[in-house]
Amino acid sequence: MLINWKDIQTVFHKEIVEIMRNKRIIVTAFLIPMAIYPIVIFGMDWLQSLERRKIEEEGYRIAVSRNMSDVTDFICRSSDVPVTILYADSVFHAVRDGEADLGIEWEDRPGEDRNVWFFYTGSEDRSIKAFSEIEMLFSDHGFEWSRRFLAQDLALEHVSRFEPERIVVKDIATLKEQTGHRIGKILPFILLMMLVSGCSFAAIDMIAGEKERGCFETILVSGISRRSVIVGKMAVVVMTGLVSLLVNVLSMLIWLKLGMMQSIQSTDTAFDISFAALAGIFICSIPLTLIIAAILILISARAKSYQSGQTLLMPVTFASLVPAVAAVLPGMHSDSFLVALPIANVVVTMREMLEGTFIIWPFFVGNIINLGVASALVYSAVNSLNTEGRLIPGTSGGDMDGLLRMRRDPIRTAFMGFAIVWLLFFYVAVPLQARDLVSGLVFTLWGLILVSAFVLVRIQNLPVRETMGFRNTHWKVWVGSIVFQTGILPLILYLNQWVMNILPIPSDWMEAFSDTLTGDLSKTTLILLMCISPGICEEMLFRGAIFGSLKRKWSPWHAVIVSSIMFGFLHFSVYRLFPTTVIGIALGWLVMQSGSIYPAMLAHALNNFLSLIVAPELELDKLSSHWMLVGLPAVILGVMLVCSGSGKRRR
Amino acid sequence: MIRIHELSRSFFDRQRGEIRAVDALSFECGRGEIMGLLGPNGAGKTTTLRMLATLLAPTSGTAELNGYDVVREPDKVRSSLGFLSSTTGLYPRLTPEEILRFFGEINGLKQPELKRRIDELIAEFSITDYARVRCEKLSSGMKQKVSIARALIQDPPVLIFDEPTVGLDVIAAAQTMKTILQYKQRGKCILYSTHIMSEVEKLCDRIAIIHKGKLQAIGTLDELRKQTGERYLEDIFFSLMDPGEINGDAATAEPQP
């Protein structure tokens, strides 16, 4: 029995009834969004008018350097707000010390090229307002005032060239586009938050909450498949999220349309979202909701109680906001790598829809990618109850046979170990390397990475020799690994180029990186520190300790791929993630095939030597794609040699 | 109806290593019989019942319920089973009637059979007065009645009760036991787990005493008396424990939720 639609319907109906009777969910998912917009809009309006009134009552304090009565009279006469003029020896200090909101200083030297200085405090709203208003007066009446103040110490016939040309600034974006741009930066964010909060209470209450109340057990011992239970519950989570989202959008539209943002409406805001944009936003919310619902179900299935569910949820909520932040950064568009990043692609598309600048193909590609990710997550969520430890709080299920004799779960230990190394690497090793490259690298490789490898093996009580793969191998494997690694180099270089095309490396990064290579280090130091040492130390950690731990529970390929991704993640940046992961897989294969870590160490050192020292000198990094073909025979020959050599060892 | 053979279940604990919560347990329980599962806290009772209810997988051995294997045919096992434990709860925001309808539907009952069955159980357990009141407003005795009715909704041939009287007052506990006896007379196969001696003496046809996951003794009360030479169940029970355990060094082999 896989999935029974009748059962799903029954579960769905029961959950809907329960949700409708749950005050907490009704309030957070539906009532708060309905109430929050009028409160925010009225509140903002009220605060703004309050501030305006205060300014109008108190007026601006403007410090000037010397008596220029014509100009100060002009300011006092033209400003809507009362102005108090202060005379100060140092206008700068008067503003700095808070005695004045704005300072104006005329340069004292005679002649034509004299400047007028405005001083204001950019961190204070009042000062900013004073500046923008007075400066506007000056630019509107520029000609008039310049003649006036110049007339005081210059003959007017000399000022023909000084008449300021009026600078007219015109934003050519339509009002709708400007507003869309402003709202587009906030709205997708609010929608995402509301979606997560709308879904989360339902998801946690339905699984973790039921576990706590003892109701979950009863449904699990009934004649209904566990998948039907989860699908039914997930449908309710998705529905709660979408309804909450819809309530949000509608509530916001209604309040904005009702013209409640009078102060903004009257000046420079036109709020107008087309029906098509709304429909588009709603369509791309559906895969997003599926992703969020599935993640929440997965979390909730792990939690033992409502409270532990909420605790687990916090980091996930923050994590989901990270890609959303990336998407509202300036210069981000949907027709870039962002399209492949779930959540970020939706946020950036929503923003573009509100701005009216959206492009159709990333919309489709992004939604298809999201649907794919959503399906994978939904699939794992639906199967999440097949692990019995998640069904009944307090029982640790899982593979008993392989684990019993060991003190720790190897997978968890490997991941925890990697996380600690990663944190130490970024917070300790990288700053050390920045201070002094040589000692920093020695510490990183021979201290942090090598010690971590042994600690990881030690705390699991694993046999060092076997886990690390300290065993000799056939000469064919040695030769094969050299040929294999040399052959694979063009592929890596090509991958590097490909990644750089998609994700161009900022040029200052590139310079900093090549500085370290071509800097004041001698060739010998470079070879020792960047080729041989990584070859030994990184291999011991990734192909030794981590791969050795992972393969105790996982299949060798699974362990190779995961340890390679970790290897990729330790290499500084997103730019090097993909190529280093590929190198990691190649090296992992060598270890897996030969059972020995030594050929991988040699290959790793060789790879670094070829790509860091030989390739730049021969300018091989400007390869065209058909260069890859040159490496292919070498790769095949290498694979054959390694396979034949490792076969001999086994016999 | 229930047949357990060499059933074992181990847990892995970081500090203590492997824990054999249930260790090669074998027994049978037939139609119209109540089998009492007696043991101190952590003896392995709940783990055994959870394996029978397909919530936990056995590490080794086999268990059959109504002729279905718990590992190979879990869905059929669940359909033939009514399960009630002291930790099972009710949906607080649903009414007893809604709960019965929900469990009836997911156990495959169709109208008008479903309605007939709900009315029958509501009458039998005298739930009528509060059948449409949300469960969060009911007393523990009322809740227990609803829970039992919930376990019986599809009229399953096998019933498993895991310490069903925990937290109930004397009257509610007595009512619960009376109901269980009635269902025995209707030919159900009932497995009743508890650590309360008096309940076992009153209810059970046969008693299995387990300790540290192992079966210590099995038989009718008379058979156990003969086997141990003790008259009262309490003395029989103690005679089967290690002397050290009784002096306060209680076994806690089984992880408790």
Side-chain angles (χ1 to χ4, degrees):
Chain A
M1 184 165 36
L2 287 171
I3 282 176
N4 178 329
W5 291 109
K6 181 79 185 48
D7 285 346
I8 292 172
Q9 213 181 327
T10 310
V11 173
F12 183 82
H13 176 251
K14 173 236 151 196
E15 296 296 350
I16 288 286
V17 171
E18 275 208 283
I19 278 196
M20 297 312 287
R21 292 177 187 173
N22 187 340
K23 288 192 194 105
R24 197 153 36 175
I25 293 176
I26 296 294
V27 169
T28 52
F30 310 123
L31 293 183
I32 287 182
M34 280 195 229
I36 202 158
Y37 292 103
I39 290 173
V40 167
I41 291 165
F42 276 123
M44 262 166 52
D45 217 28
W46 182 69
L47 282 175
Q48 272 182 352
S49 66
L50 216 66
E51 200 196 336
R52 185 74 216 165
R53 202 178 309 149
K54 203 175 156 209
I55 288 176
E56 275 169 10
E57 275 167 16
E58 292 175 4
Y60 295 130
R61 295 161 303 158
I62 299 178
V64 291
S65 52
R66 59 197 168 98
N67 192 355
M68 304 284 273
S69 58
D70 273 4
V71 181
T72 47
D73 285 351
F74 160 71
I75 293 174
C76 295
R77 205 176 52 248
S78 321
S79 168
D80 301 334
V81 176
V83 173
T84 316
I85 303 286
L86 311 162
Y87 295 98
D89 291 336
S90 165
V91 169
F92 169 82
H93 283 106
V95 178
R96 184 75 213 156
D97 298 341
E99 288 162 19
D101 302 312
L102 178 70
I104 308 174
E105 193 170 314
W106 289 266
E107 272 184 8
D108 225 2
R109 57 194 162 99
E112 291 168 355
D113 302 325
R114 290 182 306 167
N115 296 319
V116 181
W117 295 78
F118 284 91
F119 295 97
Y120 72 103
T121 316
S123 54
E124 274 176 32
D125 287 339
R126 197 186 165 85
S127 189
I128 296 171
K129 273 205 164 67
F131 166 67
S132 63
E133 279 182 33
I134 304 299
E135 198 240 11
M136 201 163 15
L137 281 181
F138 273 42
S139 51
D140 282 353
H141 304 276
F143 178 69
E144 192 186 341
W145 72 260
S146 67
R147 284 173 73 95
R148 277 164 195 270
F149 97 84
L150 288 167
Q152 291 185 351
D153 59 0
L154 272 177
L156 264 177
E157 57 264 29
H158 291 292
V159 301
S160 58
R161 272 182 56 214
F162 197 81
E163 285 173 13
E165 291 173 29
R166 277 182 75 107
I167 298 165
V168 180
V169 181
K170 179 83 182 134
D171 190 344
I172 58 163
T174 62
L175 221 49
K176 189 185 146 192
E177 283 166 353
Q178 290 174 33
T179 315
H181 184 70
R182 254 176 269 160
I183 292 182
K185 289 208 165 170
I186 314 163
L187 182 68
F189 226 72
I190 297 179
L191 292 184
L192 184 66
M193 290 276 281
M194 288 294 164
L195 195 59
V196 174
S197 79
C199 290
S200 64
F201 282 95
I204 293 178
D205 187 67
M206 264 179 230
I207 298 180
E210 285 196 2
K211 275 190 200 175
E212 192 176 7
R213 296 189 288 268
C215 313
F216 205 55
E217 207 175 278
T218 55
I219 198 168
L220 294 176
V221 294
S222 307
I224 177 173
S225 81
R226 284 167 189 175
R227 286 180 178 171
S228 304
V229 174
I230 288 293
V231 173
K233 283 176 187 279
M234 181 139 40
V236 177
V237 176
V238 169
M239 211 188 75
T240 324
L242 285 178
V243 171
S244 164
L245 190 86
L246 209 61
V247 169
N248 262 284
V249 175
L250 289 179
S251 161
M252 189 184 57
L253 282 183
I254 289 168
W255 288 104
L256 285 173
K257 283 272 179 198
L258 280 177
M260 288 304 162
M261 285 174 100
Q262 286 140 338
S263 60
I264 300 173
Q265 287 281 37
S266 57
T267 55
D268 57 352
T269 303
F271 190 74
D272 190 16
I273 297 182
S274 67
F275 180 75
L278 268 185
I281 288 175
F282 195 72
I283 289 171
C284 50
S285 304
I286 294 172
L288 180 69
T289 315
L290 278 172
I291 291 177
I292 291 171
I295 294 174
L296 291 173
I297 296 266
L298 281 168
I299 293 172
S300 198
R302 283 174 180 275
K304 290 170 188 166
S305 65
Y306 196 93
Q307 205 188 351
S308 75
Q310 278 186 318
T311 315
L312 284 172
L313 188 76
M314 281 296 286
V316 173
T317 311
F318 282 115
S320 72
L321 291 178
V322 173
V325 173
V328 291
L329 289 178
M332 290 294 181
H333 290 287
S334 62
D335 55 342
S336 68
F337 72 97
L338 271 189
V339 77
L341 213 68
I343 300 182
N345 54 16
V346 175
V347 173
V348 78
T349 307
M350 283 182 182
R351 193 189 82 196
E352 288 176 353
M353 279 175 174
L354 292 167
E355 290 172 350
T357 58
F358 114 102
I359 313 162
I360 198 88
W361 75 260
F363 174 77
F364 280 109
V365 175
N367 275 318
I368 288 168
I369 288 173
N370 287 356
L371 269 179
V373 173
S375 320
L377 284 168
V378 167
Y379 179 79
S380 39
V382 166
N383 290 307
S384 61
L385 294 184
N386 288 342
T387 310
E388 61 189 27
R390 303 202 188 133
L391 301 181
I392 307 157
T395 57
S396 51
D399 171 19
M400 299 302 301
D401 307 325
L403 282 178
L404 287 174
R405 302 285 172 288
M406 283 171 4
R407 278 183 55 234
R408 286 160 202 273
D409 175 34
I411 307 296
R412 192 179 298 173
T413 314
F415 271 89
M416 281 299 291
F418 175 71
I420 293 169
V421 170
W422 195 84
L423 287 174
L424 285 173
F425 181 78
F426 275 89
Y427 287 100
V428 181
V430 171
L432 279 179
Q433 286 180 25
R435 277 179 61 179
D436 180 51
L437 187 65
V438 174
S439 63
L441 275 174
V442 171
F443 167 79
T444 312
L445 293 165
W446 293 94
L448 176 63
I449 290 183
L450 192 67
V451 171
S452 312
F454 280 105
V455 169
L456 212 54
V457 175
R458 186 75 204 97
I459 57 170
Q460 297 180 79
N461 285 337
L462 299 178
V464 176
R465 194 179 256 274
E466 269 174 49
T467 313
M468 290 290 199
F470 290 157
R471 65 161 73 98
N472 202 359
T473 184
H474 198 265
W475 66 267
K476 281 187 183 172
V477 178
W478 287 99
V479 176
S481 55
I482 294 173
V483 177
F484 173 70
Q485 196 61 44
T486 317
I488 224 164
L489 185 74
L491 170 73
I492 303 292
L493 292 174
Y494 182 68
L495 269 179
N496 263 326
Q497 276 180 21
W498 184 73
V499 170
M500 262 190 260
N501 284 339
I502 301 177
L503 256 178
I505 299 184
S507 54
D508 47 340
W509 285 34
M510 203 56 203
E511 277 165 28
F513 186 68
S514 55
D515 274 356
T516 51
L517 295 182
T518 53
D520 45 6
L521 295 183
S522 70
K523 274 262 156 65
T524 327
T525 325
L526 215 57
I527 291 172
L528 275 175
L529 278 182
M530 293 201 157
C531 306
I532 296 175
S533 300
I536 297 171
C537 305
E538 290 181 4
E539 286 312 297
M540 298 255 257
L541 179 63
F542 290 98
R543 255 62 64 184
I546 290 180
F547 172 67
S549 307
L550 295 178
K551 77 174 176 192
R552 296 189 79 86
K553 208 169 168 186
W554 287 347
S555 71
W557 268 116
H558 197 169
V560 163
I561 288 168
V562 172
S563 63
S564 304
I565 293 172
M566 290 182 181
F567 178 64
F569 265 107
L570 203 73
H571 280 77
F572 299 107
S573 68
V574 63
Y575 307 110
R576 293 178 66 196
L577 171 66
F578 191 54
T580 29
T581 304
V582 174
I583 297 175
I585 293 173
L587 295 169
W589 173 79
L590 273 178
V591 175
M592 186 175 87
Q593 187 63 34
S594 67
S596 165
I597 199 169
Y598 301 136
M601 286 179 174
L602 176 69
H604 189 153
L606 182 71
N607 172 75
N608 286 16
F609 178 73
L610 290 175
S611 58
L612 292 177
I613 295 166
V614 178
E617 284 195 4
L618 299 178
E619 296 205 341
L620 284 179
D621 48 344
K622 293 186 180 63
L623 285 177
S624 62
S625 61
H626 52 254
W627 265 89
M628 276 171 67
L629 294 177
V630 180
L632 202 61
V635 173
I636 295 171
L637 180 66
V639 168
M640 281 162 63
L641 277 168
V642 170
C643 287
S644 124
S646 48
K648 287 216 165 59
R649 182 187 59 79
R650 280 199 207 103
R651 276 199 292 274
Chain B
M1 282 273 161
I2 295 177
R3 188 176 294 134
I4 291 176
H5 182 68
E6 295 283 317
L7 193 68
S8 298
R9 170 70 205 215
S10 300
F11 290 100
F12 175 67
D13 184 278
R14 198 175 281 186
Q15 274 86 39
R16 295 177 291 175
E18 183 186 3
I19 298 161
R20 297 205 137 227
V22 175
D23 198 354
L25 201 62
S26 302
F27 64 80
E28 285 179 20
C29 176
R31 188 184 292 270
E33 184 183 20
I34 302 182
M35 163 73 89
L37 219 52
L38 187 65
N41 288 337
K45 304 186 297 287
T46 300
T47 305
T48 308
L49 301 186
R50 281 179 170 165
M51 281 192 275
L52 283 170
T54 72
L55 288 170
L56 288 175
T59 310
S60 63
T62 56
E64 267 180 26
L65 205 139
N66 199 26
Y68 303 117
D69 186 278
V70 293
V71 177
R72 283 194 303 272
E73 297 154 298
D75 294 324
K76 286 179 177 155
V77 168
R78 290 197 281 261
S79 299
S80 340
L81 170 71
F83 184 84
L84 177 69
S85 80
S86 56
T87 55
T88 50
L90 297 167
Y91 300 114
R93 293 184 292 271
L94 296 187
T95 68
E97 196 182 325
E98 286 166 337
I99 288 177
L100 291 179
R101 189 179 312 121
F102 173 66
F103 279 97
E105 280 176 5
I106 62 173
N107 279 304
L109 291 186
K110 303 238 163 24
Q111 298 288 9
E113 165 73 6
L114 178 63
K115 188 174 182 320
R116 189 187 60 72
R117 188 72 191 134
I118 292 171
D119 292 344
E120 223 172 73
L121 286 168
I122 285 179
E124 187 181 332
F125 287 91
S126 326
I127 296 172
T128 324
D129 289 345
Y130 50 89
R132 292 185 180 176
V133 177
R134 287 192 203 175
C135 287
E136 58 196 354
K137 292 181 181 143
L138 303 183
S139 72
S140 359
M142 290 168 169
K143 280 183 190 161
Q144 189 67 357
K145 281 186 186 176
V146 179
S147 280
I148 298 175
R150 192 266 308 148
L152 296 169
I153 183 78
Q154 83 272 31
D155 202 14
V158 181
L159 295 172
I160 291 180
F161 294 98
D162 187 12
E163 307 193 351
T165 55
V166 169
L168 294 186
D169 65 21
V170 188
I171 301 168
Q175 276 177 339
T176 305
M177 290 201 289
K178 200 175 131 199
T179 313
I180 292 170
L181 275 175
Q182 281 170 358
Y183 273 82
K184 173 201 161 186
Q185 273 143 25
R186 293 189 204 172
K188 306 284 179 199
C189 163
I190 299 172
L191 198 55
Y192 189 93
S193 146
T194 185
H195 57 264
I196 304 169
M197 312 280 171
S198 59
E199 287 183 359
V200 177
E201 279 182 323
K202 273 184 210 152
L203 274 181
C204 303
D205 301 305
R206 288 196 303 144
I207 302 161
I209 295 177
I210 44 177
H211 180 45
K212 286 186 175 174
K214 287 197 172 81
L215 188 67
Q216 304 294 324
I218 188 166
T220 61
L221 192 54
D222 283 337
E223 284 167 358
L224 292 178
R225 280 178 183 144
K226 272 180 208 153
Q227 197 181 324
T228 56
E230 301 282 352
R231 180 173 160 69
Y232 298 106
L233 182 57
E234 197 167 342
D235 297 327
I236 296 171
F237 181 77
F238 284 130
S239 72
L240 292 165
M241 305 283 120
D242 299 338
E245 304 278 343
I246 301 155
N247 297 332
D249 185 19
T252 45
E254 182 184 2
Q256 292 294 330

